[in-house]
Amino acid sequence: MPGLTSAAGVVGLLSEPEPELQVFALKVLNEQIDSLWTEVANSVGDIEALYEDPSFPERELAALVAAKVYYNLQEYNESMIFALGAGKLFDIDHEGEFEDTIISKCVDTYIALSGTIPANNTNQPPSQLTTAFSSNANGASSISAGLASPTTPFSQSILPSKSLLSRQDSTTTFDPSQQVAGNANLPGALPASVASQASVQKQLYAIIDELFERCFQGGSYRQVIGIAVEARRLDILRRVIIRASEDEKKQRKGEDGEFIRGQELMEYVLEICMNVVQERGLRNELLQVVLDLLNDIPSPDYFSIAKCIVYLNEHTMASDMLVQLVNKGDAKSTAVAYQIAFDLYDNSTQDFLKKVRGDLPKAPEPAPAATTDDQDPMQEEPPEPRESDQLLKELDDSAGVPASSLEGNQDKKEVELSPEAQKAFDSIRTILSGTKTIELDLEFLFRSNRADMAVLNKIRDSVEARNSIYHTAVTLATAFMHAGTTNDSFFRQNLEWLGKAVNWSKFTATAALGVIHRGNLGQGQKLLEPYLPKDQIAGANPSSAYSQGGSLYALGLIYANHETFALDLIREHFKKATEEVVQHGGALGLGVAGMATGDESIYEDLKSVLWTDSALNGEAVGIAMGLIMLGTGDIRALEYMIQYAHDTQHEKIVRGLALGMALIMYGRQEGADELVNGLLDDPDPILRYGGIQTLALAYCGTGSNKAVRKLLHVAVSDVSDDVRRIAVMSLGFILFRKPSSVPRMVELLSESYNPHVRYGAAMALGISCAGTGLDEAIDLLEPMIKDPTDFVRQGALISLSMIMIQQNEAMNPKVGTIRKTLMKAISDRHEDAMTKFGSAIALGIIDAGGRNCTISLQTQTGNLNMSGIVGMVVFTQYWYWFPLTHFLSLSFAPTAIVGLDQDLEVPSFKFHSATRPSLFDYPPEQETKQEDAPKKVETAVLSTTAQAKRRAQRKEKQQRRESMDIDQTPTTPKTVNLDDKMETDESPPKAEEGQESEKPDGGKKEGDAQPETAKKRMEREKVGYQLENMSRVLPPQRKFISFPDGRYQPVKKPTGGVILLTDSTPSEPKSLMELKAKKTVKPAAAPVTLQDRVSEALGQQEAAERDAQGAAEAAGVLTAVDEDGEGGEEAEVPQEFDYFTDEEGGNEG
């Protein structure tokens, strides 16, 4: 039929009484509606009437025409309703804009309708938080009302455009919170017709099912998974994964082999759960579905199961899985069990690991029951010796005690244990206690230490040590640069400089030993023995309270997140302490060592000290309470801390409690909304500051749009500069898994008129982009180095070092310029103290752990790094209190691959890196320029003098020729040569000077063209090289690592850290690597009891001198300089001034 130019005649047929004419008109309009819809729009009511007439034979055709008219009118909701009424006439297989738009609208409506189904509330907090805040309408529901979906919509970007600050929520997707009666006119609500008509919903589900079937036939399973996750349809999710496995079996037609399609989809669901789903309850439900499906597979992916178990906090399932693997008896299953144990330690809390250790079966102990009576005295001694071997035994015993008292099912397994199984379970307990991982990390950092002492000497010489802030800066740089390496030689070699530490500088210097010796479980307590608080002995000089408090803090850092005897030792000293400084250090040490243990008794001890209402120790106690209860969401603890924060008058205590409350809500997401809203509505800016920290820790790493919007709103609206600063800074914690999105978000904020906002933007970039070398972040930070405000420059320097950590010229050409900028800032006499402080810290961070550590807020397997996040959050509080800077060491993660065989020994073998050696090599060490000695001024030579010399030489030559007849010929060349040298006697220095002047110029040219020479060198290098076991492997390098060695193969894809290896030829002899760090530990000749410690209290310094002379001298400097000594030292300075004043007075007289 030729195209119509007008629809007037055809539209007129719709009013005819004969159905045949009406059907004819509808068919014509359906074919040419795209060109005639403007005329048909006025008669759409007649078409709707035909659809609603039950006697009309072509109701579906009328619905399809009406749908197309409304589509052209851009009324998509109405168009979708009529398209659903069209039934089979609406063909989803037909490709066209109309069909695609309606299908998209159907999917959105399906998701919204599924969201109206009541969700399972089992994962929600059981009780409401009773706070001291005034009740208002801004509850958690009002915060979540702005969310379009519990997940980020797949059709939208994770982050909005640059106009985010002035952007209103204009999302057109449906909001499940609006799907109630009376909300039909609200944005995001369903049309009333869809919500009320069952027939329309039935047709909608039919369309969706047909769409799913088409996806199944085309193998597009992931699209169905995405719709199922957004719609919260767990039954659909289960159906998709099972259908994928069945389809794969049909395609193989019964062939044997591993079916990987279902496992790939489950890995995809896991990735969605961790990176896309923003609601904790939905995430847990999805993980439970995946966990059930994984357990149904004959040969499941145990590593994926372990990841689900950690997120779901199912310690019983973890122990059952380990038992199942060990009971298989083969070497590979045991290696997998060991690898899972290492992964559990990296990703779990101390409380979780303790429960898993307790659930593991133990060997029967009928015979040891009689011997334990004889060994009772020895069992009381292990807390005192502090030796590594006894420490391990104590850990196993402490892990076994709760296991025997848990349930009777332990006894059933005890009988069945074989010696091999018992050995495996003992090894798993050792791994879960963290001892093995800490020992291997310490070994790697010790043997691979590449710290540049020239940088530290430059920092020390560039600042005045008598200034407390400068002394602290050098101390912190030293601690970071040698973190975990056990190399404290800088302190030993600079005793005079160390002796200038007074008061809190001494506290920080002593605590720095904990950073340097972190993980030194064998010698940790022995090293700090001279500094620890001791009972007062008559005639003995009391040591400085600042060194005592710093030693308790250091002890906690050495045993950070590792519940051992150290926790009890620190707690004992903390309860005995009467001085506030010692209590301060003890509280910080307790918090670090007992992190996430949830120990109620320690919490009560801290609370009793908080009651004294001391500002000095109250801040540390508040932080420690949060660290002990980290992530527990304890309602009772929160109520007490909120009440006390409102009652006390000390700002330091309020600040510590605010941070403590934030730590308690770590990872709680929606469960923290009520506390966040209450804190943000408080008139006290310190509590609002804590509310922002709570929001950051509750949603850390989730990329939550809701949290980001809240932070940006506070960043530009709060009246307090401190609150605005932390709001911008917290963006880094929310988005650190998507670092490339942060520069675009803070670009406008980095140019704010408010320096606090600029500082927050700088730190947000450093936190989120740490270790990435991201060019966009560096481009924003480089102008901030020249900011007119000193603390903004400080933040920019620190952030640059965090981003550039472990970067070299090949990875980022700007790293050399940034290092020079840091050195220039520290040596510039006209630079402000705060900027110099930041520069010193930055130089320590960029070479952290002997250039073998990176800053990581997530683990090797992609989970949240709890200790790293906590360390970074507390580190940002250095703004108020410098000693908290040491917490950054908790974020340092060694970058190594350490292969272990099935005996948990370190074999000597090589693995392959498919890159050029220089691509991931260490950066070059700092070149120390030796000051040139003053040169002698050259004597000016007149032209007449030179002519006279040449004339005299010619006369002398002529006389020699006349006096010699035979020897003229041979002697002439010699005399000529000599004469030439004599003649140019003045020129050799010039030539040397020319050579010397050429060398620096050449050096400059090489320095200027260093990236070019590096590129040329890389081109000449051969691609691919071998690396020894326990070598430095950077995160970007891991994807190039392979194991061509035929003997040792990893049990899983290498992700860095500890990797278990299977030995293909276990019967052949193997060569093991020598553990150097272990070799340096000097075991005691006999166990040290409590009586021995008391009797040797006066001779500890002599013993320390015999073991390590430098360490003892450093200990003497820090402990001997008490307040009286400090007064004496300060008295010498006025004597010098008095002398000069008298001299000046005498001269004036």
Side-chain angles (χ1 to χ4, degrees):
M1 183 176 180
L4 298 177
T5 58
S6 174
V10 179
V11 170
L13 295 177
L14 297 175
S15 304
E16 294 295 328
E18 290 81 4
E20 292 80 4
L21 295 177
Q22 294 172 339
V23 171
F24 174 78
L26 290 174
K27 289 181 178 179
V28 173
L29 292 175
N30 183 44
E31 294 175 357
Q32 304 187 30
I33 192 66
D34 291 337
S35 59
L36 302 176
W37 68 269
T38 53
E39 299 180 61
V40 181
N42 295 327
S43 302
V44 71
D46 297 334
I47 301 176
E48 291 185 26
L50 293 176
Y51 166 68
E52 295 172 357
D53 185 2
S55 61
F56 185 67
E58 295 289 342
R59 294 180 60 225
E60 294 180 350
L61 181 60
L64 183 61
V65 174
K68 292 182 178 180
V69 172
Y70 279 115
Y71 165 75
N72 285 284
L73 290 171
Q74 296 186 0
E75 294 289 342
Y76 299 124
N77 287 333
E78 296 295 330
S79 177
M80 177 196 67
I81 293 170
F82 284 106
L84 293 175
K88 295 182 179 180
L89 293 181
F90 176 66
D91 186 10
I92 64 173
D93 293 329
H94 185 272
E95 295 183 0
E97 292 184 5
F98 169 69
E99 286 78 12
D100 292 344
T101 304
I102 298 304
I103 290 174
S104 176
K105 206 67 182 175
C106 287
V107 171
D108 288 342
T109 308
Y110 174 77
I111 292 171
L113 282 173
S114 302
T116 60
I117 302 174
N120 186 8
N121 294 325
T122 55
N123 295 305
Q124 299 300 323
S127 58
Q128 295 297 319
L129 178 64
T130 304
T131 66
F133 308 121
S134 57
S135 59
N136 52 22
N138 269 344
S141 59
S142 64
I143 296 297
S144 60
L147 267 184
S149 169
T151 64
T152 303
F154 292 95
S155 58
Q156 298 180 8
S157 174
I158 293 296
L159 296 172
S161 60
K162 289 184 180 180
S163 59
L164 178 65
L165 299 179
S166 59
R167 174 180 178 270
Q168 295 183 354
D169 189 6
S170 59
T171 52
T172 57
T173 53
F174 295 118
D175 184 359
S177 64
Q178 301 288 356
Q179 314 310 329
V180 294
N183 284 356
N185 295 325
L186 294 179
L190 283 173
S193 55
V194 177
S196 60
Q197 296 182 16
S199 60
V200 175
Q201 293 187 16
K202 182 179 179 181
Q203 189 66 29
L204 173 66
Y205 292 142
I207 291 289
I208 295 297
D209 288 340
E210 186 179 353
L211 181 65
F212 285 171
E213 187 62 32
R214 191 174 68 173
C215 291
F216 291 153
Q217 294 176 0
S220 303
Y221 301 102
R222 295 194 175 192
Q223 283 82 344
V224 182
I225 287 178
I227 296 174
V229 170
E230 283 209 59
R232 297 170 174 265
R233 293 296 301 270
L234 304 183
D235 56 334
I236 300 294
L237 180 64
R238 187 186 300 271
R239 171 186 160 195
V240 173
I241 296 175
I242 295 175
R243 174 68 180 269
S245 300
E246 292 176 352
D247 291 346
E248 189 177 11
K249 290 180 182 177
K250 291 179 181 178
Q251 292 176 3
R252 292 190 179 184
K253 297 180 181 180
E255 295 180 3
D256 295 334
E258 187 177 357
F259 299 98
I260 61 174
R261 185 177 296 174
Q263 294 185 13
E264 288 178 352
L265 290 179
M266 282 186 275
E267 291 178 2
Y268 177 66
V269 175
L270 281 176
E271 183 181 354
I272 290 176
C273 289
M274 307 310 161
N275 301 327
V276 179
V277 177
Q278 298 180 358
E279 185 179 336
R280 188 179 185 185
L282 177 60
R283 179 186 293 123
N284 291 346
E285 293 175 3
L286 293 172
L287 290 174
Q288 190 63 53
V289 171
V290 174
L291 189 59
D292 295 340
L293 291 171
L294 285 170
N295 289 327
D296 293 339
I297 299 176
S299 56
D301 183 2
Y302 289 104
F303 300 109
S304 298
I305 294 176
K307 188 179 293 188
C308 295
I309 287 173
V310 170
Y311 270 95
L312 295 173
N313 200 26
E314 295 285 350
H315 62 88
T316 305
M317 297 183 69
S319 58
D320 291 344
M321 181 174 60
L322 293 172
V323 171
Q324 178 185 352
L325 286 168
V326 172
N327 288 339
K328 287 186 176 182
D330 59 303
K332 184 174 182 180
S333 298
T334 305
V336 171
Y338 290 161
Q339 184 67 66
I340 290 174
F342 278 111
D343 292 346
L344 288 175
Y345 173 75
D346 289 338
N347 299 297
S348 307
T349 63
Q350 292 191 54
D351 185 49
F352 181 89
L353 296 171
K354 188 175 182 180
K355 292 177 181 177
V356 175
R357 293 199 307 267
D359 289 342
L360 293 176
K362 286 188 63 178
E365 299 180 355
T371 59
T372 51
D373 296 334
D374 300 334
Q375 293 179 352
D376 279 344
M378 295 300 293
Q379 288 180 353
E380 295 177 0
E381 291 177 3
E384 305 301 330
R386 279 63 167 169
E387 297 299 332
S388 58
D389 296 338
Q390 298 171 0
L391 198 155
L392 293 178
K393 293 179 182 178
E394 182 192 356
L395 285 173
D396 293 340
D397 294 340
S398 63
V401 171
S404 61
S405 60
L406 285 176
E407 294 180 0
N409 56 358
Q410 305 286 346
D411 300 332
K412 299 178 183 178
K413 299 179 182 179
E414 287 178 354
V415 182
E416 302 174 359
L417 285 182
S418 62
E420 294 79 8
Q422 180 58 34
K423 178 184 176 182
F425 286 126
D426 290 341
S427 299
I428 290 175
R429 286 192 186 91
T430 303
I431 295 170
L432 291 176
S433 69
T435 306
K436 195 67 180 177
T437 302
I438 295 173
E439 174 189 318
L440 294 173
D441 288 344
L442 182 73
E443 172 67 24
F444 164 69
L445 294 175
F446 175 81
R447 69 192 302 149
S448 303
N449 182 18
R450 297 284 292 270
D452 193 352
M453 297 297 291
V455 175
L456 286 178
N457 293 329
K458 178 70 174 177
I459 300 173
R460 180 203 60 200
D461 297 338
S462 300
V463 295
E464 176 54 47
R466 287 190 178 273
N467 193 329
S468 176
I469 184 175
Y470 291 148
H471 197 286
T472 301
V474 179
T475 300
L476 294 172
T478 306
F480 290 158
M481 197 173 292
H482 294 95
T485 64
T486 71
N487 182 6
D488 54 6
S489 59
F490 182 82
F491 287 155
R492 304 182 185 188
Q493 297 169 4
N494 296 275
L495 296 179
E496 181 181 357
W497 167 85
L498 191 62
K500 296 178 181 179
V502 293
N503 299 337
W504 288 106
S505 296
K506 189 186 304 180
F507 178 93
T508 306
T510 310
L513 294 174
V515 178
I516 296 173
H517 291 272
R518 185 189 172 194
N520 193 356
L521 304 182
Q523 279 188 319
Q525 190 221 355
K526 183 179 180 182
L527 175 79
L528 294 175
E529 195 68 40
Y531 309 91
L532 292 173
K534 304 177 184 64
D535 296 332
Q536 294 292 337
I537 302 176
N541 292 327
S543 60
S544 171
Y546 293 96
S547 63
Q548 292 179 7
S551 66
L552 294 178
Y553 185 14
L555 194 62
L557 290 169
I558 290 177
Y559 296 92
N561 198 22
H562 185 64
E563 187 179 6
T564 60
F565 75 93
L567 189 61
D568 296 330
L569 180 63
I570 300 172
R571 184 179 176 187
E572 177 185 352
H573 286 301
F574 177 74
K575 293 167 70 174
K576 290 181 180 179
T578 56
E579 297 192 35
E580 293 179 343
V581 178
V582 181
Q583 290 177 338
H584 183 95
L588 293 176
L590 273 177
V592 178
M595 188 187 302
T597 56
D599 194 318
E600 292 283 347
S601 58
I602 298 178
Y603 175 82
E604 293 298 328
D605 292 341
L606 293 168
K607 191 198 296 185
S608 63
V609 175
L610 185 65
W611 283 341
T612 60
D613 201 43
S614 168
L616 186 58
N617 56 31
E619 182 178 19
V621 167
I623 297 173
M625 292 167 72
L627 289 171
I628 295 295
M629 294 293 178
L630 178 65
T632 60
D634 192 294
I635 301 296
R636 184 181 58 84
L638 288 171
E639 290 176 352
Y640 173 80
M641 296 170 76
I642 292 169
Q643 187 63 43
Y644 197 90
H646 283 91
D647 293 342
T648 186
Q649 301 297 319
H650 297 291
E651 289 187 358
K652 291 176 71 68
I653 295 180
V654 177
R655 185 173 293 113
L657 290 172
L659 179 55
M661 287 187 284
L663 293 168
I664 291 176
M665 282 299 181
Y666 166 80
R668 305 299 292 184
Q669 297 188 20
E670 295 85 3
D673 283 346
E674 186 180 358
L675 177 62
V676 170
N677 294 326
L679 291 173
L680 291 182
D681 290 338
D682 197 279
D684 188 351
I686 300 178
L687 287 179
R688 296 203 303 276
Y689 187 99
I692 295 297
Q693 290 178 312
T694 305
L695 185 66
L697 280 171
Y699 289 92
C700 60
T702 62
S704 170
N705 289 337
K706 175 179 70 174
V708 168
R709 290 188 183 121
K710 192 70 174 176
L711 291 174
L712 290 172
H713 172 71
V714 175
V716 297
S717 63
D718 200 280
V719 296
S720 171
D721 287 336
D722 290 344
V723 179
R724 298 177 69 175
R725 182 180 68 247
I726 191 63
V728 181
M729 192 188 306
S730 297
L731 291 171
F733 291 103
I734 303 292
L735 300 167
F736 68 79
R737 280 180 165 168
K738 303 176 180 64
S740 59
S741 63
V742 179
R744 179 162 54 90
M745 175 165 290
V746 302
E747 183 177 0
L748 295 177
L749 297 172
S750 65
E751 300 173 359
S752 171
Y753 72 94
N754 191 327
H756 293 267
V757 174
R758 298 199 300 271
Y759 172 87
M763 292 300 293
L765 290 170
I767 293 167
S768 60
C769 305
T772 62
L774 195 64
D775 291 332
E776 292 83 354
I778 296 170
D779 292 340
L780 288 180
L781 288 171
E782 283 181 330
M784 302 175 77
I785 298 176
K786 302 176 182 179
D787 194 276
T789 308
D790 52 359
F791 61 79
V792 177
R793 298 196 297 273
Q794 179 192 78
L797 293 172
I798 293 175
S799 296
L800 279 173
S801 67
M802 294 167 69
I803 294 173
M804 284 299 188
I805 190 171
Q806 286 199 322
Q807 299 285 314
N808 58 20
E809 293 283 350
M811 299 171 68
N812 194 315
K814 292 185 178 180
V815 66
T817 306
I818 291 174
R819 285 180 178 271
K820 291 178 182 178
T821 303
L822 295 175
M823 294 301 296
K824 181 180 178 182
I826 196 68
S827 59
D828 188 356
R829 295 183 179 180
H830 303 288
E831 190 58 86
D832 293 320
M834 293 186 70
T835 307
K836 283 190 173 184
F837 179 83
S839 178
I841 294 180
L843 286 168
I845 293 173
I846 201 170
D847 290 337
R851 300 187 174 185
N852 292 299
C853 286
T854 187
I855 294 177
S856 179
L857 301 187
Q858 52 185 344
T859 61
Q860 309 277 8
T861 55
N863 293 346
L864 296 179
N865 181 8
M866 182 190 68
S867 61
I869 293 172
V870 170
M872 182 65 73
V873 169
V874 182
F875 160 73
T876 59
Q877 303 308 299
Y878 81 89
W879 179 280
Y880 301 103
W881 193 235
F882 285 157
L884 297 179
T885 312
H886 286 310
F887 269 82
L888 183 62
S889 62
L890 301 180
S891 301
F892 294 159
T895 53
I897 287 183
V898 182
L900 296 182
D901 60 11
Q902 290 128 345
D903 298 326
L904 297 184
E905 296 177 329
V906 186
S908 177
F909 77 102
K910 294 182 179 181
F911 52 89
H912 184 73
S913 176
T915 61
R916 293 180 174 89
S918 62
L919 182 58
F920 298 106
D921 198 7
Y922 288 96
E925 292 189 0
Q926 182 73 23
E927 296 181 1
T928 55
K929 293 183 179 180
Q930 297 181 355
E931 296 183 358
D932 298 333
K935 298 179 180 179
K936 295 181 179 180
V937 179
E938 297 178 3
T939 306
V941 180
L942 299 176
S943 59
T944 55
T945 306
Q947 292 176 358
K949 284 185 177 181
R950 286 194 294 271
R951 206 177 294 119
Q953 289 174 0
R954 283 196 294 270
K955 288 183 179 180
E956 186 178 357
K957 289 178 184 179
Q958 189 175 1
Q959 291 175 359
R960 288 178 181 177
R961 290 192 188 97
E962 293 176 354
S963 60
M964 296 182 181
D965 297 331
I966 301 174
D967 295 335
Q968 286 180 356
T969 306
T971 56
T972 301
K974 292 181 181 179
T975 54
V976 168
N977 289 340
L978 288 173
D979 291 338
D980 289 342
K981 289 181 181 179
M982 291 292 293
E983 197 172 0
T984 58
D985 193 20
E986 301 294 330
S987 61
K990 293 181 181 179
E992 291 176 5
E993 290 169 10
Q995 293 174 0
E996 290 178 0
S997 61
E998 287 176 3
K999 287 180 181 178
D1001 291 339
K1004 288 180 181 177
K1005 291 178 182 177
E1006 291 175 3
D1008 295 339
Q1010 192 170 1
E1012 296 181 4
T1013 57
K1015 289 181 181 178
K1016 292 180 180 179
R1017 195 184 310 116
M1018 286 182 61
E1019 291 175 359
R1020 291 195 302 267
E1021 284 178 337
K1022 182 180 178 182
V1023 177
Y1025 63 102
Q1026 301 291 325
L1027 285 170
E1028 290 284 347
N1029 189 15
M1030 198 176 283
S1031 293
R1032 173 179 181 262
V1033 177
L1034 302 187
Q1037 189 180 2
R1038 293 173 194 157
K1039 57 186 176 183
F1040 302 105
I1041 297 298
S1042 60
F1043 289 78
D1045 191 326
R1047 179 170 184 177
Y1048 295 104
Q1049 291 297 322
V1051 297
K1052 71 167 188 176
K1053 184 179 178 181
T1055 56
V1058 180
I1059 298 178
L1060 263 294
L1061 307 169
T1062 56
D1063 190 353
S1064 59
T1065 56
S1067 58
E1068 295 183 4
K1070 59 183 179 182
S1071 60
L1072 301 177
M1073 297 185 68
E1074 182 183 6
L1075 301 184
K1076 299 179 181 178
K1078 221 175 182 182
K1079 200 174 181 181
T1080 60
V1081 178
K1082 298 181 180 179
V1088 183
T1089 62
L1090 182 60
Q1091 294 179 353
D1092 295 334
R1093 291 177 62 202
V1094 173
S1095 61
E1096 295 178 3
L1098 294 176
Q1100 286 175 345
Q1101 291 187 356
E1102 290 79 2
E1105 281 184 347
R1106 286 194 299 271
D1107 292 338
Q1109 297 178 357
E1113 292 175 359
V1117 169
L1118 288 176
T1119 57
V1121 182
D1122 52 10
E1123 293 183 0
D1124 295 336
E1126 290 165 11
E1129 185 181 357
E1130 290 175 357
E1132 295 176 1
V1133 179
Q1135 288 177 4
E1136 295 178 359
F1137 282 114
D1138 292 343
Y1139 173 77
F1140 286 116
T1141 304
D1142 293 341
E1143 184 180 1
E1144 290 173 0
N1147 292 336
E1148 289 176 0

